[in-house]
Amino acid sequence: MSDKISFSTYAITLYFDDDTTEWIRTLTRKLAEITGNDFMTANNVPPHLTVGMFHVGEADVEKLKALFEEFVTAAREDNSTFDISFSGFESFLDKVIFIKPVVDENLSSINKLLHEKFLPHFEPGDNRNYLPENWYPHIALGVKLSHEQFEEGMKFLTAQGIGGAPQALRSNGGDSRNPAKPGLPSGRCARITTIGLACCNPYTPFMNISL
């Protein structure tokens, strides 16, 4: 009888500058308070944007680490900027509410490069939903929502409007001590500062590399 190979799922994620991270955390907390659904806050899920998920055997973890380092090095070389902007609040099947980033050439190239590096070695996870042709990037604010929680959450977020982010997040600067309502920033207002590798279920950070 052959030994059963044990696999874990690993995620590669993008993390943001401090101001953007705090803005997303504030929205997540307010959404939890309004809906009564505290999954994100209770599990201390950090603001992040996932670009890929893969199944990795225990014997291949060192290979995973090496490929991850190669990927980050190549991403630095290939991308002219790590700025990111947002286009709105959206949802998946009325169960997940998220911030939708603008998918520009730089963001798309990160996803494509990751899969070029990893697919020859590892099977894609999460039903292949992060492959370049299937990828729908999102930054989750609330998950596992009931219909009533979803309606309450979207009503709150819709009222925030576009461009109502704290001044510290706006591309033209401003006084961060006097923030506006925590709405959705527009334009060049956020920056990807770190790429992380984490084991899923439960979420366990594995490696973080600053850009």
Side-chain angles (χ1 to χ4, degrees):
M1 181 181 295
S2 60
D3 294 334
K4 184 178 180 180
I5 300 176
S6 176
F7 290 90
S8 296
T9 301
Y10 287 83
I12 292 84
T13 55
L14 310 179
Y15 299 101
F16 311 105
D17 62 87
D18 291 343
D19 286 336
T20 303
T21 296
E22 182 55 31
W23 169 69
I24 297 172
R25 285 191 190 279
T26 298
L27 280 180
T28 303
R29 287 194 298 267
K30 287 183 177 293
L31 198 66
E33 292 170 3
I34 288 167
T35 63
N37 182 316
D38 67 350
F39 181 90
M40 296 289 287
T41 54
N43 289 280
N44 197 30
V45 179
H48 67 280
L49 196 168
T50 300
V51 290
M53 297 181 72
F54 300 92
H55 299 309
V56 181
E58 185 176 346
D60 290 325
V61 170
E62 290 304 314
K63 179 191 294 184
L64 173 70
K65 291 167 61 178
L67 283 171
F68 176 68
E69 291 176 344
E70 289 180 13
F71 158 67
V72 176
T73 297
R76 287 195 189 106
E77 295 173 351
D78 289 357
N79 284 268
S80 59
T81 177
F82 286 97
D83 292 330
I84 185 171
S85 56
F86 308 98
S87 61
F89 299 110
E90 296 188 18
S91 69
F92 292 134
L93 301 174
D94 294 357
K95 296 182 182 298
V96 177
I97 295 176
F98 59 88
I99 303 168
K100 178 75 170 71
V102 174
V103 186
D104 59 12
E105 183 177 348
N106 285 318
L107 195 57
S108 295
S109 71
I110 291 174
N111 176 265
K112 181 180 179 181
L113 176 63
L114 174 68
H115 287 86
E116 288 175 349
K117 292 282 186 183
F118 278 59
L119 285 181
H121 306 279
F122 305 117
E123 286 293 320
D126 195 45
N127 296 317
R128 308 175 74 86
N129 284 331
Y130 289 93
L131 294 177
E133 62 270 21
N134 295 331
W135 190 40
Y136 199 83
H138 59 282
I139 304 163
L141 297 174
V143 302
K144 302 181 184 294
L145 299 165
S146 68
H147 180 69
E148 292 76 15
Q149 290 170 343
F150 165 77
E151 288 191 331
E152 291 171 351
M154 286 303 294
K155 181 179 179 181
F156 161 70
L157 292 174
T158 300
Q160 306 310 304
I162 294 177
Q167 294 287 340
L169 291 175
R170 294 184 178 171
S171 58
N172 62 349
D175 185 357
S176 62
R177 294 169 298 179
N178 185 28
K181 61 183 180 179
L184 185 71
S186 58
R188 191 169 68 85
C189 54
R191 176 155 294 182
I192 299 165
T193 60
T194 305
I195 301 180
L197 173 66
C199 187
C200 306
N201 302 319
Y203 171 81
T204 307
F206 197 65
M207 294 177 66
N208 287 322
I209 300 179
S210 298
L211 295 172

